[in-house]
Amino acid sequence: GSAGNSTTIGYDEAEDVAATVREATTAPSGDRRPLVLYGTSMGAAAVLCAIQRGGIHPDALVLECPFDRLLNTAGNRCRALDIPAFPAAEMLVLWGGVQSHFNGFAHNPAEYARNVRCPTLLMQGGRDERVSVPEAQSVANALGLQCTLVIFPEAGHMIAVRDTPRWRTAVREFLTANRLIPPQSDQPSPPNP
């Protein structure tokens, strides 16, 4: 059911996330494992929007570089291209929303985050030119006490690609602390007889 090459920066994509979660959770209750949703950038916005609009209830979230408001991320893109953010960002959000049939000014993952009721790991690059640390902090504040915010000072956008060892450690520690995976043993495994 993909619409091809178009995107709504996480708004309509949230329906895909919710449908996937519903499909994944149809297994018999004895076979159910913890459901952890992972989203990067637009994918993180889609995950948060799916919780708001799709009524899904994951066991945990791992989010990387989510923007807080579509208008802010549009402004960041304009500045990166040396285009004045005002009024260009407002025009992009208005026109993109009209073309995609949704209110772009109301597409605010920081607002969606207020509906999250599970532990959340939020990771942000300190040198991200697309999503700023204050934007990530806005989402973290909306998530509240269940959020663990980890800033990777030297990373930009797409932390998992650029700082894989530290990313893996942060994810493993989060999942272990929330009892979603068993702790790793520092002891060597006994040899097979």
Side-chain angles (χ1 to χ4, degrees):
S2 174
N5 295 325
S6 65
T7 181
T8 59
I9 318 299
Y11 187 80
D12 283 343
E13 292 81 3
E15 294 174 21
D16 294 334
V17 172
T20 301
V21 168
R22 284 190 291 275
E23 184 66 27
T25 55
T26 59
S29 60
D31 295 339
R32 189 177 183 287
R33 294 184 179 154
L35 178 64
V36 180
L37 300 182
Y38 170 67
T40 299
S41 191
M42 180 189 87
V47 166
L48 292 169
C49 189
I51 291 171
Q52 163 92 12
R53 294 177 46 225
I56 60 172
H57 305 285
D59 296 305
L61 303 177
V62 176
L63 306 176
E64 187 178 322
C65 305
F67 60 89
D68 64 344
R69 290 167 172 44
L70 183 57
L71 182 59
N72 286 344
T73 202
N76 292 342
R77 299 293 169 98
C78 289
R79 284 185 284 282
L81 296 170
D82 289 326
I83 298 170
F86 179 83
E90 282 79 0
M91 291 188 305
L92 284 170
V93 170
L94 175 65
W95 184 245
V98 167
Q99 289 294 305
S100 299
H101 310 289
F102 76 100
N103 180 353
F105 294 103
H107 184 33
N108 300 323
E111 292 301 318
Y112 307 147
R114 296 184 192 289
N115 295 297
V116 173
R117 301 288 179 258
C118 62
T120 303
L121 173 61
L122 176 62
M123 297 176 285
Q124 178 61 42
R127 295 187 179 190
D128 190 339
E129 293 180 2
R130 295 182 180 183
V131 177
S132 68
V133 171
E135 287 176 80
Q137 187 64 56
S138 175
V139 174
N141 290 344
L143 287 163
L145 296 175
Q146 69 218 6
C147 179
T148 301
L149 176 62
V150 178
I151 306 293
F152 292 74
E154 300 302 316
H157 209 60
M158 308 295 288
I159 299 163
V161 173
R162 292 185 173 87
D163 198 348
T164 303
R166 286 191 54 217
W167 181 92
R168 284 184 180 163
T169 298
V171 172
R172 184 178 297 115
E173 288 174 358
F174 170 76
L175 295 174
T176 302
N178 287 284
R179 299 176 187 212
L180 297 161
I181 62 171
Q184 281 191 326
S185 173
D186 291 336
Q187 302 297 322
S189 301
N192 285 334

